[in-house]
Amino acid sequence: MTQTKFLLNETDLPKTWYNINADSPVPPTPVLHPQTQDPVTPDFLSVLFPMELILQEVSADRYIDIPEEVREIYKLWRPTPLIRARRLEKALGTPAHIYFKNEGVSPPGSHKPNTAVAQAFYNKIAGTGALTTETGAGQWGSALSMACNFFDLPLEVYMVNISYQQKPYRRVLMESYGAEVFASPTDRTQFGQSVLADDPESPGSLGIAISEAVEAAVTSGGKKKYSLGSVLNHVLMHQTVVGEEALKQMDMAGEYPDVVIGCVGGGSNYAGLAYPFLRENLLNDQNARFVAVEPTATPTLTRGPYAFDYGDTAKMAPIVKMFTLGHGFIPPPIHAGGLRYHGMAPSLCSLYDAGHIEAVALPQLATFEAAITFTRSEGIIPAPETAHAICAVIDEALDAKEKGEERVILFNFSGHGHFDLSAYQTYLNGELEDYEHPEEAIQAALQHLPQVNL
Ligand SMILES: *Cc1c(COP(=O)(O)O)cnc(C)c1O
């Protein structure tokens, strides 16, 4: 048997999304209003999101039907291939079997359209006039730009200033889909103006850009709504098409993963792959391990406290319980822009806290080295975010080699790196740096966490 690609038919495209909250052994933690600290009401959330997405956010149903209109668009790139990385296995000399789900085949190049298309659809049918959002590296912005274009919805993107400078081609892609893109902080919002007043050269952060996009929606008199590319329950749920397909494809390969790996920024691509497999652990006696991978520069799970914190820098977004580096966190300029968020999806945090998921933090240089090994064996250059998953996969495969184990490793190839070549150039020139998040910064951020009395 030398099969390399495991491909599904369009008829195998999942008809439902999976909701981990139906099966999670840890109850969901409360979501609190940023000012009153009372549990948020649908009224508060409805300023930001259409009702259908709010219902999904709080749903306890195990499965939610994927609308036909969304499945039709998914068919442009789904089902995505599952690839056995035989050439990488050989390069490492490992007895491990390495599989990856290639979400880089979507038109904008990552897993993010899986939720962007769903969110644009529910906003369109709810009569939303326009969407606002933030983007870091530009992957989310381009995914939502494509989706909004398909549903004829105007889109305003607040792009983290440093990425706007470093990744001009992502902006061109968003504009080609028809979106309006601004370097955040901007002078279009009160919050952006206040940040610029303190620091006219501010590199921006995901937290600041979220605050601006939220403010733009909240002050639009109901015309605009806001869209988030990760962290929220409904976003993670939309991504579960990845894991549901992968379950079928692993079955085609006649194997089952011993370990499921993915990089985590807000947690959505990893949850999308992992949660359907975690369901099999919880309900069907499977025994896979789960490993979430983050940068040492933003070590949310491995070094942050598990605490209530604001979802954004301006304290306009709800307070949720998560591992956090503090809402004021300004991340170092690592190239994995999608991994620079200060917090993490609450469901993933609670599962990690309860020991169902492990986490590792990896330094930037090692991830680029792993990415180059992958590129030279499998031919695909990964996004710097994805490189974190690959680095952990290689560590896992070398550990299996040392122990002589035929370990089956599955990971989410969350996106390609075609727009990240300047980062690769820096690496190849030997100019890439490692960043370690300083302990003082964690202690300082702790001082600013909201005091929540439950
Ligand atoms: C956005 C992004 C991530 C991180 O976001 P998650 O919500 O944690 O998945 C990872 N990989 C790629 C390619 C991305 O674009």
Side-chain angles (χ1 to χ4, degrees):
M1 254 283 282
T2 57
Q3 193 169 346
T4 296
K5 296 193 301 302
F6 299 89
L7 303 175
L8 297 169
N9 294 315
E10 282 184 7
T11 49
D12 297 316
L13 188 65
K15 294 195 164 64
T16 55
W17 291 302
Y18 171 57
N19 179 9
I20 191 80
N21 284 336
D23 297 319
S24 179
V26 275
T29 49
V31 176
L32 308 176
H33 190 285
Q35 276 102 48
T36 66
Q37 297 198 359
D38 293 326
V40 290
T41 56
D43 260 6
F44 171 79
L45 292 174
S46 68
V47 177
L48 297 178
F49 305 110
M51 196 47 71
E52 203 61 39
L53 291 177
I54 296 171
L55 294 174
Q56 291 182 5
E57 189 61 24
V58 299
S59 173
D61 294 345
R62 180 171 288 135
Y63 294 104
I64 294 196
D65 289 336
I66 306 176
E68 251 342 282
E69 294 88 336
V70 173
R71 291 181 81 244
E72 278 308 313
I73 292 179
Y74 277 175
K75 284 181 193 165
L76 291 175
W77 72 95
R78 306 209 71 82
T80 60
L82 180 79
I83 312 281
R84 169 106 181 252
R86 292 183 183 273
R87 295 178 53 86
L88 177 63
E89 292 167 13
K90 206 163 165 200
L92 300 173
T94 179
H97 295 185
I98 303 173
Y99 293 86
F100 65 94
K101 185 71 169 148
N102 189 357
E103 291 298 306
V105 300
S106 80
S110 79
H111 64 286
K112 291 203 169 77
N114 296 330
T115 185
V117 170
Q119 294 191 45
F121 169 75
Y122 288 117
N123 272 288
K124 185 65 185 184
I125 59 172
T128 302
L131 282 179
T132 70
T133 197
E134 73 292 330
T135 196
Q139 288 272 25
W140 168 241
S142 22
L144 192 63
S145 299
M146 179 188 78
C148 283
N149 160 64
F150 287 154
F151 290 109
D152 205 11
L153 259 179
L155 173 65
E156 278 173 27
V157 182
Y158 294 82
M159 184 171 189
V160 176
N161 186 20
I162 182 161
S163 301
Y164 188 92
Q165 313 299 340
Q166 280 178 353
K167 304 199 173 176
Y169 298 127
R170 277 277 168 206
R171 169 167 63 84
V172 176
L173 181 59
M174 291 185 261
E175 289 172 347
S176 301
Y177 285 126
E180 267 192 293
V181 186
F182 309 102
S184 166
T186 71
D187 57 9
R188 297 170 53 86
T189 66
Q190 276 189 8
F191 185 67
Q193 288 164 15
S194 74
V195 175
L196 286 175
D198 286 345
D199 179 8
E201 307 292 311
S202 169
S205 72
L206 218 43
I208 294 170
I210 293 175
S211 300
E212 288 206 276
V214 165
E215 185 182 325
V218 168
T219 56
S220 70
K223 181 175 168 288
K224 301 175 190 173
K225 294 214 187 294
Y226 166 72
S227 178
L228 188 63
S230 187
V231 180
L232 298 174
N233 291 332
H234 67 265
V235 179
L236 272 56
M237 197 175 71
H238 298 156
Q239 293 295 349
T240 58
V241 287
V242 178
E244 296 291 11
E245 288 177 6
L247 269 167
K248 289 188 193 170
Q249 288 162 307
M250 288 304 303
D251 203 42
M252 288 167 77
E255 302 215 78
Y256 194 86
D258 295 307
V259 53
V260 180
I261 296 176
C263 63
V264 289
S268 74
N269 87 84
Y270 184 56
L273 177 67
Y275 284 180
F277 287 90
L278 191 53
R279 172 190 65 213
E280 301 306 306
N281 272 25
L282 296 169
L283 304 183
N284 296 320
D285 295 326
Q286 287 291 358
N287 214 2
R289 278 170 54 227
F290 295 90
V291 180
V293 190
E294 62 186 12
T296 52
T298 60
T300 315
L301 291 173
T302 51
R303 291 178 58 206
Y306 189 33
F308 282 93
D309 196 8
Y310 301 96
D312 72 326
T313 309
K315 310 181 196 179
M316 293 170 73
I319 297 171
V320 295
K321 191 171 185 195
M322 58 186 175
F323 287 85
T324 179
L325 298 168
H327 56 272
F329 176 67
I330 301 231
I334 55 166
H335 290 281
L339 306 184
R340 289 192 292 207
Y341 183 59
H342 68 271
M344 188 65 66
S347 67
L348 197 78
C349 289
S350 66
L351 288 160
Y352 170 65
D353 184 57
H356 295 274
I357 296 172
E358 306 162 30
V360 292
L362 296 174
Q364 176 161 261
L365 265 169
T367 66
F368 271 82
E369 195 181 323
I372 293 291
T373 301
F374 186 85
T375 305
R376 292 183 184 172
S377 49
E378 295 298 318
I380 315 173
I381 194 161
E385 293 85 354
T386 313
H388 287 72
I390 293 169
C391 190
V393 165
I394 291 177
D395 288 346
E396 195 68 47
L398 293 177
D399 180 64
K401 178 181 179 177
E402 206 173 288
K403 297 181 175 140
E405 288 176 18
E406 219 176 67
R407 199 177 300 172
V408 179
I409 303 169
L410 169 66
F411 77 98
N412 199 355
F413 188 93
S414 57
H416 68 63
H418 294 178
F419 287 91
D420 302 285
L421 295 179
S422 69
Y424 279 92
Q425 186 175 37
T426 308
Y427 171 75
L428 293 172
N429 288 346
E431 291 161 2
L432 199 70
E433 286 172 43
D434 274 339
Y435 298 92
E436 178 91 31
H437 191 57
E439 184 58 29
E440 308 87 77
I442 292 182
Q443 295 311 321
L446 277 176
Q447 311 298 312
H448 300 286
L449 294 180
Q451 297 305 311
V452 170
N453 303 305
L454 285 176

